[in-house]
Amino acid sequence: MADRDASEPPGPAAAAELRNFLSEVPAPVAVGHRIVHSGPHLTGHTLIDARVRALLADVADLAPLHVTPALPVVDAARELLPDVPHVACFDTVFHKDLPAQARTYAVPERWRAEYGLRRYGFHGLSYSWALQRTAQALRRPVDNLQVVLVHMGGGCSACAVRNGRSVDTTMGFTPLEGLVMSRRSGSLDPGALLWLQRRHGLSTDELDDTLHRHSGLLGLSGTSGDTRDLVRARAEGDAAAALALATFTLSCRRGIASMAASLDRLDALVFTGEIGEDQPEVREEICSALTVLGVRGGLLVPELKDLMREGLRRIDQAGRGVPVLVVATGETQQIAAETRRVLGM
């Protein structure tokens, strides 16, 4: 019915921005909040009360780019709308039943039991939406699909879905693991981080800031974390932009292939997220080099306005290999659906 977007993370002005927005729209009967990390104690989307709010604060450092700025918005919304139910919708819930072998890190039992080290997985709201749209497009029930879903945006990950359930994913304990991302490094040799600390004296804070904000496509190119900028720069002969895109697409192919290893067959490869839906060059470079999985290049390029209006498009050449689909990002719609479900609406 109405939306308001902000380009900067929430800050002190969030309450005023929210108050202004609420003055312009019909009174809501419920509020759904996207919360990236649920931590170990919350395994389902849930009403936010004092206990849940405290648990969210306790896990904020596991997703500092997401949960930390989200909590002031939760507080502002609860203060402005005290008589309306507020529901936390978690990206981790989609992956809550990961098989033991997929969620377990090869570290001592004490680290796993006492410290809680395990793979959580993220982008679950996006994956939930994309999976339902894929089933509709292929005219097959969700519980009879084996697909690899790829969310590519500021954060990037891939997920293997077997018969409607997540069975593997590239992100782990935090949203820093896995694929190369816009400004995040993705997976690194842990020995390299130890070496940077010991040999070069980098502090924990320096590593944290660099890996989260100055790495990925931005770190590789030195100019931008936006694939649109890098595609243009590569065409103009920018070697660093070319390396950034080549590294990124190889990382995505590795992730997709590793997810396919958790499936018996590949019924479809599905792209979503801002890059996934709006960067045909990246999709083509990923798929044209995945022939080992039965995926082919020569993809169709739908107009973005048509994709956003229709919500999804099949973009492979019919009969040439594994179906390839693009699904318009639907996290907001999925939050609405999960909020209604929690409230029995």
Side-chain angles (χ1 to χ4, degrees):
M1 296 178 68
D3 59 55
R4 179 77 56 84
D5 295 316
S7 59
E8 297 298 321
E17 292 173 0
L18 185 55
R19 183 183 296 107
N20 292 338
F21 177 65
L22 291 171
S23 71
E24 301 168 2
V25 299
V29 297
V31 181
H33 298 266
R34 181 197 179 200
I35 306 294
V36 166
H37 209 309
S38 65
H41 302 298
L42 299 168
T43 58
H45 310 301
T46 186
L47 278 168
I48 300 175
D49 56 17
R51 170 183 168 272
V52 169
R53 175 62 179 82
L55 289 171
L56 296 180
D58 191 52
V59 300
D61 60 342
L62 296 182
L65 299 184
H66 302 91
V67 178
T68 300
L71 293 182
V73 180
V74 170
D75 295 339
R78 293 179 73 204
E79 183 176 339
L80 290 167
L81 298 165
D83 300 320
V84 168
H86 293 255
V87 175
C89 300
F90 297 107
D91 273 306
T92 46
V93 166
F94 186 73
H95 308 287
K96 67 183 178 64
D97 295 321
L98 279 175
Q101 66 270 25
R103 69 172 183 265
T104 303
Y105 287 116
V107 295
E109 194 272 341
R110 181 186 175 189
W111 288 17
R112 291 179 275 122
E114 186 174 333
Y115 303 150
L117 280 181
R118 53 156 292 184
R119 175 169 279 107
Y120 283 94
F122 302 94
H123 290 134
L125 295 164
S126 176
Y127 288 144
S128 295
W129 180 261
L131 180 61
Q132 295 294 330
R133 303 291 82 72
T134 298
Q136 292 173 5
L138 298 179
R139 298 181 181 180
R140 294 177 60 175
V142 167
D143 60 8
N144 190 33
L145 276 180
Q146 297 198 35
V147 299
V148 172
L149 307 172
V150 189
H151 180 104
M152 297 189 299
C156 302
S157 71
C159 172
V161 174
R162 178 198 291 267
N163 303 333
R165 299 177 67 179
S166 171
V167 294
D168 204 356
T169 189
T170 55
M171 279 183 169
F173 184 62
T174 76
L176 190 58
E177 186 181 1
L179 310 184
V180 171
M181 307 178 218
S182 177
R183 294 170 178 263
R184 280 174 265 168
S185 63
S187 293
L188 283 174
D189 178 353
L193 303 180
L194 297 174
W195 177 80
L196 287 169
Q197 288 181 307
R198 290 170 177 162
R199 177 68 66 89
H200 296 284
L202 269 66
S203 68
T204 302
D205 287 344
E206 287 177 292
L207 290 173
D208 186 300
D209 185 57
T210 301
L211 295 175
H212 277 102
R213 295 177 176 85
H214 305 288
S215 298
L217 289 168
L218 176 62
L220 286 164
S221 69
T223 55
S224 177
D226 190 322
T227 54
R228 294 169 296 186
D229 296 335
L230 298 177
V231 167
R232 287 191 292 267
R234 181 178 62 181
E236 296 168 358
D238 186 327
L243 175 62
L245 288 168
T247 304
F248 176 71
T249 54
L250 175 59
S251 171
C252 291
R253 293 197 301 273
R254 285 171 170 166
I256 291 165
S258 69
M259 294 301 99
S262 290
L263 303 176
D264 300 320
R265 62 181 190 274
L266 185 57
D267 295 328
L269 174 61
V270 183
F271 292 98
T272 190
E274 296 91 336
I275 298 172
E277 66 195 25
D278 189 25
Q279 198 69 72
E281 297 88 348
V282 169
R283 295 194 302 258
E284 181 65 32
E285 288 168 35
I286 291 171
C287 291
S288 63
L290 277 177
T291 54
V292 68
L293 297 181
V295 177
R296 299 288 185 272
L299 301 174
L300 306 175
V301 181
E303 290 288 338
L304 183 60
K305 64 179 185 299
D306 295 334
L307 172 63
M308 301 309 290
R309 183 182 67 252
E310 298 169 16
L312 61 87
R313 277 291 182 92
R314 182 168 172 175
I315 59 172
D316 61 290
Q317 301 279 358
R320 289 193 57 197
V322 170
V324 179
L325 293 89
V326 179
V327 176
T329 309
E331 287 164 316
T332 303
Q333 298 96 314
Q334 192 64 34
I335 291 168
E338 300 296 355
T339 298
R340 291 188 182 101
R341 202 171 352 258
V342 168
L343 299 175
M345 297 168 64

